[in-house]
Amino acid sequence: MNDRLDDLLGAYALDAVDPAERAEIEAYLAVDPRARAEVDAHREVATMLSFGGGPAPVGLWERISSALDADHAVPPPLRLPPSLRLPPPDPALVPTVVPVPAPVAPVIPLRRRPVGRPLVGLAAAGELAVGVAGGLAGGLALGRDSGRSAVSAADRYAAAAQEPGARRVELRSPAGDAVPAVVLPDGTGYLDSRPLATLPDGETYQLWAVTTSGRVISVGVLGNRPGVQAFTVGERPASLVVTKERTPEGVERSSEPAAYAGEV
Amino acid sequence: MTPPLSDLSDTTLVVGVARYRHEALAELYRRHAGAVFGLARRLLGDSATAEEVVQEVFLRLWNAPDRFDPARGSLRSYLLAQTHGRAVDMLRADGARRRREDRDARNTVDAGYDLEREVTDLAVAEYVRRALEVLPDGERKAIELAYFGGLTYREVADRLGEPEGTVKSRIRVGLKRLRAELLAAGVAMGEG
């Protein structure tokens, strides 16, 4: 904390300091988040002072539009604000290869069903086998969005839904309740599990991905009060399934029926 | 089915800008260009120069959308901070303040303006007017001279015949007081 520079924060927010002071304050803001937050708050107030501007002149948008880049045949790398970038999958969540002793528990082949119809009875013929093939690591990004962030859950979800190739999925329960998800071509996506009911302490929801070859892998646990979570599977899955598990850590092999399921 | 652009939040549209989508920038322009132009024109007193500032601000958003961090505030706040900074730089660089004293007649034409936001703006403007009335004269004058006059706090101190330390404090305390008044009146801040 620097009292001398703190006294200048209001003036700085209104661009009312000289260049040398501006440089000094910017160096200060880079290391003091409290001061940075104060400047941001002052600027929001200044925004209020500017309300009631009126319309922009005719023809100005056309001049701006003509100065934009031409459309790209191959989209260049995405330029996302830092707080919207999907974090890389946490290695701690990536399931390790589980050696399966003989006799091998059968991987339940998934019959493809029309979109929207629940995959009930997934575990009826046996357990969900958990395994990982090369390149099919899955993971949930930590940092469940509780809705308190300035970047709302709706923004994150909506941003992913705007991506080219994004697929909206509805995971449905046998009763027809829906949990939405967005899956991108590279296997990343968001699950908006806010519609799920809170489970008792000691239980958890768990997300599974079913690959096109029928293998079932655990993507991760959602907790007992889930929100919007990013997830990563090594490739676009064929289906997503949510189960309710009786342990907070989730399970490697599930004997629970699919609570919600949907085809991608 | 993809929702219409007008239903998407500013943050979501910025993601669209990051994907080089012209229509996302067009929607952000529709929402915010009026406020950007209004502030630039008020500071510079010249429509042509104000238009240059609008163009710069939106092209900067197009070229560097990752500079906007929604965790730090609204997109409008970000755009107006960019506008104010650029306009003040121009004021101080070439004495444009003198031209601002001889204001043009307003010559704006409605060009797809966002009427809903105009109504909201007018309502918020009324809250702001009331909040400004609550400020002590010294704080209000210091903020107005600094923000709309483009003066440094030293220049404000000179203009008002007050010590520089007093002016610095008045600006800071006045902004905090305004924020408290607006929040108490239920004005939402930091949302896009």
Side-chain angles (χ1 to χ4, degrees), chain B residues 64-126:
Chain B
D66 52 332
R67 294 191 62 187
F68 166 62
D69 185 350
R72 288 183 46 200
S74 66
L75 179 65
R76 178 166 284 206
S77 172
Y78 172 77
L79 292 174
L80 290 180
Q82 297 273 306
T83 303
H84 192 270
R86 181 69 187 116
V88 165
D89 285 346
M90 291 169 89
L91 268 180
R92 294 175 187 169
D94 60 7
R97 187 179 300 127
R98 289 194 298 278
R99 293 200 292 280
R100 185 174 60 84
E101 301 298 329
D102 312 317
R103 290 177 183 271
D104 307 354
R106 288 185 177 270
N107 189 28
T108 56
V109 176
D110 191 344
Y113 184 57
D114 190 335
L115 184 60
E116 264 189 45
R117 193 170 281 266
E118 180 181 16
V119 170
T120 307
D121 287 359
L122 291 174
V124 171
E126 178 59 21

Side-chain angles (χ1 to χ4, degrees), chain B residues 1-191:
Chain B
M1 189 171 153
T2 307
L5 287 175
S6 56
D7 285 357
L8 299 178
S9 70
D10 283 352
T11 303
T12 303
L13 288 170
V14 171
V15 176
V17 168
R19 294 294 301 181
Y20 292 92
R21 297 207 180 133
H22 290 205
E23 65 274 20
L25 188 71
E27 175 62 21
L28 291 174
Y29 177 89
R30 191 183 70 83
R31 294 180 188 184
H32 301 294
V36 169
F37 177 73
L39 177 61
R41 194 174 179 289
R42 183 166 178 183
L43 276 159
L44 297 167
D46 175 74
S47 291
T49 318
E51 288 184 19
E52 286 176 28
V53 173
V54 175
Q55 187 161 346
E56 282 188 37
V57 167
F58 280 91
L59 284 178
R60 190 177 303 167
L61 179 63
W62 175 258
N63 290 322
D66 52 332
R67 294 191 62 187
F68 166 62
D69 185 350
R72 288 183 46 200
S74 66
L75 179 65
R76 178 166 284 206
S77 172
Y78 172 77
L79 292 174
L80 290 180
Q82 297 273 306
T83 303
H84 192 270
R86 181 69 187 116
V88 165
D89 285 346
M90 291 169 89
L91 268 180
R92 294 175 187 169
D94 60 7
R97 187 179 300 127
R98 289 194 298 278
R99 293 200 292 280
R100 185 174 60 84
E101 301 298 329
D102 312 317
R103 290 177 183 271
D104 307 354
R106 288 185 177 270
N107 189 28
T108 56
V109 176
D110 191 344
Y113 184 57
D114 190 335
L115 184 60
E116 264 189 45
R117 193 170 281 266
E118 180 181 16
V119 170
T120 307
D121 287 359
L122 291 174
V124 171
E126 178 59 21
Y127 283 120
V128 171
R129 188 188 64 77
R130 290 184 203 167
L132 282 168
E133 283 176 356
V134 171
L135 287 189
D137 268 357
E139 291 175 11
R140 184 175 45 75
K141 283 179 186 170
I143 289 172
E144 287 179 349
L145 282 170
Y147 192 63
F148 293 113
L151 302 180
T152 65
Y153 72 91
R154 295 179 203 275
E155 290 169 332
V156 172
D158 187 57
R159 178 80 64 93
L160 296 177
E162 300 278 2
E164 291 176 1
T166 300
V167 168
K168 275 190 290 184
S169 290
R170 283 180 178 169
I171 291 173
R172 189 182 183 204
V173 171
L175 287 170
K176 287 185 177 181
R177 203 189 301 273
L178 271 175
R179 180 178 176 83
E181 287 294 325
L182 291 170
L183 288 174
V187 175
M189 282 192 275
E191 293 180 2

Side-chain angles (χ1 to χ4, degrees), chain A residues 111-183:
Chain A
R111 290 169 299 175
R112 294 191 67 80
R113 295 169 184 268
V115 171
R117 290 174 58 180
L119 293 166
V120 294
L122 182 64
E127 294 177 339
L128 285 171
V130 177
V132 176
L136 281 179
L140 278 175
L142 292 176
R144 181 185 65 207
D145 191 325
S146 64
R148 288 172 293 178
S149 164
V151 182
S152 70
D155 283 339
R156 294 175 189 272
Y157 191 92
Q162 296 295 313
E163 290 292 311
R167 285 203 193 168
R168 294 171 184 252
V169 182
E170 280 200 335
L171 285 70
R172 289 200 175 269
S173 71
D177 303 320
V179 172
V182 172
V183 182

Side-chain angles (χ1 to χ4, degrees), chain A residues 24-42:
Chain A
E24 193 180 3
I25 294 166
E26 285 174 358
Y28 177 49
L29 298 182
V31 299
D32 191 321
R34 176 202 53 85
R36 168 61 76 190
E38 181 178 330
V39 168
D40 291 343
H42 290 326

Side-chain angles (χ1 to χ4, degrees), chain A residues 37-63:
Chain A
E38 181 178 330
V39 168
D40 291 343
H42 290 326
R43 284 185 169 154
E44 285 293 339
V45 173
T47 299
M48 297 290 131
L49 297 177
S50 306
F51 264 69
V58 176
L60 183 52
W61 169 250
E62 284 69 28
R63 295 207 301 273

